[in-house]
């Protein structure tokens, strides 16, 4: 068993996570966490759907930001996918998708303010990079044979539209609709930086201890996501996309002078702005790297590796909940509901809730990341096991789990896990805004202190770190010959 490359790789990552626990701040610091947890679950079962006049407006704007942001991102991503073979395009796409939507929102807030354009671009820009990568992979997998039978003189655009697009259309449509679900989660958390989406009201309810109000908002969000197949119909999509901009709200007018000042003054390093030149730049950069970037990188990596392994363990424990090889329909339906809740709740919202209940430490972040990503991978692996045919005399119970199913799905499980690695890193960095000492904490502190030059350097560090992890993950998948599949 230990001679298997997949087993050795798994044990290496497990050992790294265990070592990381020695350095991690894992604790419950709240004075009475069980009482707070009880109050929260009481709020879930006694939701107050009439708590706020602006609740339905916030829900509508959450949907509107998602539709506009995803639509714009998909269009730009498709155009980038057409020239994705170009190295500058691949680097550009990797860079913009490595920066989390909340970081983009924090950047645009500095010069657009609380304008709808802030939320739309915060979703559209990173999604364009994601769409570019996935669409290019889909186009590359298209069957080239139809293009070879076209009559001579057929133009490249005509050939592309009539041969490659029809072959790829189902995959493109499926992935785009899946990314729309991700867009709803991204749109919801934009409220935590002040935009008028669901997260804004959720944060206000928690800060005032109104758990029934918060419960109502979460339930509405779950219903919104769960019923997407019912209301997101292909024939209605043009209506949604064309109508969504009218429901974004107006916001404050954009002061274009602020935009110019941001790019020409605010993000220019202070020594260069003050005329100190390279002589003053190096000490400034050295201080930033030692006192903020390096601690942020260390905590981000430690938290990411712990959360990655916790996600893997939870995924392996969760997939039997929806597998047809265990239990009956009632248990599987309950398991499906639990996984829908886990994967539909954004990590940021989960971490925020747990931080309110348990106090500030890495523990809420680890649990939030593991629940969300474990729910996604557990759901995918559980569905995969449903297609496995077992012998009539196959083992039952734990032996069926450990000897029949896990070995058959383990390579797919690792592929999904290493794909999520970079996504977990992105989320880990952004959770610093909640007070955990990852890179996001130092970015948010720099912005709060109106030191945008330092914030931009730290965001650049975050992007490079994410690109590095993504590259390492792809290298490991390639070395282990793991088949990958894009997930949100």
């Amino acid at each position: 068993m230990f001679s298997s490359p997949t087993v050795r790789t798994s044990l290496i990552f497990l050992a790294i996570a265990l070592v990381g626990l020695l350095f991690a701040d894992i604790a419950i610091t709240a004075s009475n966490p069980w009482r707070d947890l009880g109050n929260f679950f009481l709020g879930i079962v006694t939701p107050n759907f009439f708590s706020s006049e602006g609740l339905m407006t916030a829900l509508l704007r959450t949907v509107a930001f998602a539709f506009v942001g995803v639509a714009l991102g998909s269009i730009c991503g498709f155009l980038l996918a057409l020239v994705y073979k170009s190295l500058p395009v691949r680097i550009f796409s990797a860079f913009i998708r490595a920066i989390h939507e909340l970081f983009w929102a924090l950047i645009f807030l500095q010069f657009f303010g609380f304008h709808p354009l802030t939320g739309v671009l915060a979703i559209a820009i990173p999604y364009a990079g994601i769409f570019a990568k996935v669409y290019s992979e889909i186009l590359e997998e298209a069957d080239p044979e139809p293009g070879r039978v076209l009559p001579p003189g057929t133009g490249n655009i005509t050939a592309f539209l009539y041969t490659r697009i029809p072959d790829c259309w189902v995959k493109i449509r499926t992935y785009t609709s899946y990314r729309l679900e991700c867009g709803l989660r991204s749109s919801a958390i934009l409220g935590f930086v002040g935009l008028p989406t669901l997260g804004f009201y959720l944060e206000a309810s928690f800060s005032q201890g109104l758990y029934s109000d918060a419960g109502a908002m979460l339930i509405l969000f779950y219903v919104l996501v769960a019923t997407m197949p019912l209301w997101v119909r292909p024939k209605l999509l043009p209506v949604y996309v064309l109508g969504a901009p009218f429901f974004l709200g107006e916001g404050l007018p954009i002061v274009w002078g602020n935009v110019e000042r941001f790019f020409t003054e605010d993000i220019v390093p202070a020594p260069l702005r003050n005329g100190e030149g390279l002589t003053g730049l190096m000490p400034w950069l050295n201080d930033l790297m030692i006192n903020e970037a390096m601690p942020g990188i260390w905590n981000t990596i430690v938290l990411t590796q712990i959360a990655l392994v916790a996600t893997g363990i939870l995924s392996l424990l969760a997939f039997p909940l929806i597998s047809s090889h265990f239990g009956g329909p009632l248990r599987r339906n309950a398991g499906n509901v639990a996984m829908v809740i886990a994967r539909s709740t954004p990590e940021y919202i989960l971490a925020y809730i747990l931080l309110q209940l348990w106090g500030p430490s890495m523990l809420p972040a680890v649990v939030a990341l593991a629940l969300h990503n474990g729910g996604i991978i557990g759901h995918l692996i559980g569905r995969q096991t449903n297609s496995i045919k077992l012998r009539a005399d196959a083992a039952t119970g734990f032996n069926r789990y450990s000897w029949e199913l896990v070995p058959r799905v383990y390579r797919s499980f690792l592929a999904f896990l290493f794909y999520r690695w970079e996504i977990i890193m992105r989320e880990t960095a952004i959770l610093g805004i909640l007070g955990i000492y990852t890179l996001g904490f130092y970015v948010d502190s720099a912005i709060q202190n109106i030191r945008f030059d330092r914030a931009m350097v730290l965001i650049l560090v975050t992007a490079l770190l994410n690109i590095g992890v993504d590259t390492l993950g792809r290298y490991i998948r390639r070395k282990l010959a793991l088949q990958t599949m894009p997930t949100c």
Side-chain angles (χ1 to χ4, degrees):
M1 180 178 71
F2 294 103
S3 62
S4 169
T6 55
V7 173
R8 289 201 305 269
T9 302
S10 302
L11 291 176
I12 289 172
F13 275 81
L14 177 61
I16 292 173
L18 292 175
V19 172
L21 285 172
L22 300 177
F23 300 93
D25 175 23
I26 303 292
I28 295 178
T29 58
S31 58
N32 198 335
W34 294 112
R35 181 196 62 196
D36 295 336
L37 195 61
N39 290 336
F40 170 68
F41 282 114
L42 181 62
I44 293 290
V45 299
T46 58
N48 181 8
F49 293 103
F50 306 99
S51 58
S52 172
E53 295 181 358
L55 181 56
M56 296 310 298
T57 301
L59 198 65
L60 187 61
R61 286 181 177 171
T62 299
V63 175
F65 274 112
F67 268 103
V68 178
V70 172
L72 184 59
S74 64
I75 293 171
C76 296
F78 184 79
L79 296 176
L80 289 172
L82 299 179
V83 290
Y84 199 73
K85 292 182 179 180
S86 169
L87 180 60
V89 172
R90 293 202 304 272
I91 294 175
F92 173 74
S93 299
F95 178 76
I96 60 175
R97 71 172 177 263
I99 300 176
H100 194 278
E101 299 90 278
L102 277 185
F103 280 147
W104 283 114
L106 288 173
I107 292 171
F108 291 125
L109 276 173
Q110 308 316 313
F111 49 86
F112 287 154
F114 294 103
H115 192 276
L117 195 58
T118 294
V120 169
L121 293 179
I123 296 174
I125 290 177
Y127 276 41
I130 296 171
F131 278 124
K133 177 185 177 182
V134 176
Y135 284 169
S136 68
E137 293 173 351
I138 294 174
L139 292 173
E140 286 177 1
E141 294 172 357
D143 185 3
E145 192 61 30
R148 295 171 183 161
V149 298
L150 290 174
T154 304
N156 292 333
I157 296 178
T158 302
F160 179 80
L161 292 176
Y162 282 92
T163 60
R164 298 181 70 186
I165 289 297
D167 187 55
C168 301
W169 179 247
V170 173
K171 290 183 179 179
I172 290 176
R173 184 183 64 189
T174 301
Y175 183 76
T176 306
S177 62
Y178 185 75
R179 183 53 59 178
L180 178 60
E181 179 184 332
C182 303
L184 286 173
R185 295 199 291 266
S186 299
S187 178
I189 66 173
L190 290 179
F192 285 88
V193 295
L195 293 173
T197 63
L198 205 60
F200 178 84
Y201 290 88
L202 187 65
E203 183 180 29
S205 297
F206 263 103
S207 63
Q208 300 174 55
L210 303 175
Y211 294 118
S212 293
D213 295 2
M217 294 172 201
L218 288 174
I219 290 173
L220 285 173
F221 185 72
Y222 296 144
V223 170
L224 182 71
V225 173
T227 58
M228 282 185 65
L230 300 178
W231 58 272
V232 181
R233 300 293 182 120
K235 293 182 180 180
L236 293 176
L237 280 177
V239 177
Y240 292 147
V241 173
L242 293 175
F246 297 99
F247 295 93
L248 295 175
E250 296 181 358
L252 299 175
I254 296 174
V255 180
W256 293 105
N258 293 339
V259 180
E260 179 183 359
R261 186 179 69 249
F262 182 81
F263 286 102
T264 59
E265 297 181 23
D266 292 345
I267 64 174
V268 177
L272 299 182
R273 193 167 61 243
N274 297 333
E276 300 175 24
L278 295 178
T279 305
L281 178 63
M282 295 312 296
W284 177 86
L285 188 60
N286 184 63
D287 173 72
L288 177 60
M289 294 302 295
I290 292 176
N291 294 319
E292 297 184 26
M294 295 308 295
I297 291 172
W298 170 255
N299 288 324
T300 300
I301 292 175
V302 167
L303 181 51
T304 297
Q305 296 310 113
I306 296 173
L308 181 71
V309 171
T311 295
I313 294 172
L314 188 61
S315 302
L316 292 175
L317 294 175
F319 82 78
L321 294 176
I322 65 168
S323 175
S324 59
H325 297 290
F326 303 95
L330 183 61
R331 184 199 53 77
R332 287 196 296 274
N333 289 335
N336 269 313
V337 171
M339 287 198 186
V340 166
I341 292 174
R343 71 175 188 267
S344 297
T345 311
E347 301 100 313
Y348 193 91
I349 291 180
L350 278 172
Y352 177 81
I353 293 172
L354 294 175
L355 277 166
Q356 307 308 307
L357 302 176
W358 295 346
S361 79
M362 287 187 178
L363 180 60
V366 170
V367 174
L369 291 165
L371 283 174
H372 177 77
N373 293 284
I376 291 174
I377 299 177
H379 171 74
L380 294 170
I381 297 301
R383 286 174 52 189
Q384 184 175 337
T385 63
N386 292 337
S387 63
I388 296 176
K389 303 295 183 181
L390 298 179
R391 304 184 313 273
D393 61 342
T396 59
F398 182 73
N399 286 335
R400 170 175 291 190
Y401 169 82
S402 57
W403 297 105
E404 293 283 353
L405 294 177
V406 170
R408 300 188 189 193
V409 300
Y410 197 74
R411 295 180 65 82
S412 296
F413 156 73
L414 282 183
F416 287 126
L417 189 62
F418 285 126
Y419 183 87
R420 299 295 303 181
W421 191 11
E422 182 264 343
I423 298 172
I424 292 173
M425 176 74 78
R426 291 174 71 242
E427 296 294 337
T428 299
I430 202 66
L431 290 180
I433 296 177
L434 297 175
I436 304 165
Y437 292 111
T438 61
L439 279 164
F441 173 82
Y442 296 99
V443 171
D444 188 53
S445 297
I447 291 176
Q448 295 296 326
N449 293 322
I450 319 180
R451 304 169 81 176
F452 303 127
D453 51 347
R454 300 175 77 90
M456 294 303 293
V457 172
L458 292 170
I459 290 175
L460 176 61
V461 169
T462 303
L464 294 176
L465 186 63
N466 290 335
I467 291 172
V469 167
D470 182 43
T471 303
L472 181 58
R474 283 188 282 111
Y475 172 79
I476 294 174
R477 295 198 302 267
R478 187 169 60 250
K479 291 292 287 185
L480 297 179
L482 301 175
Q483 185 179 1
T484 62
M485 182 184 300
T487 57
C488 184

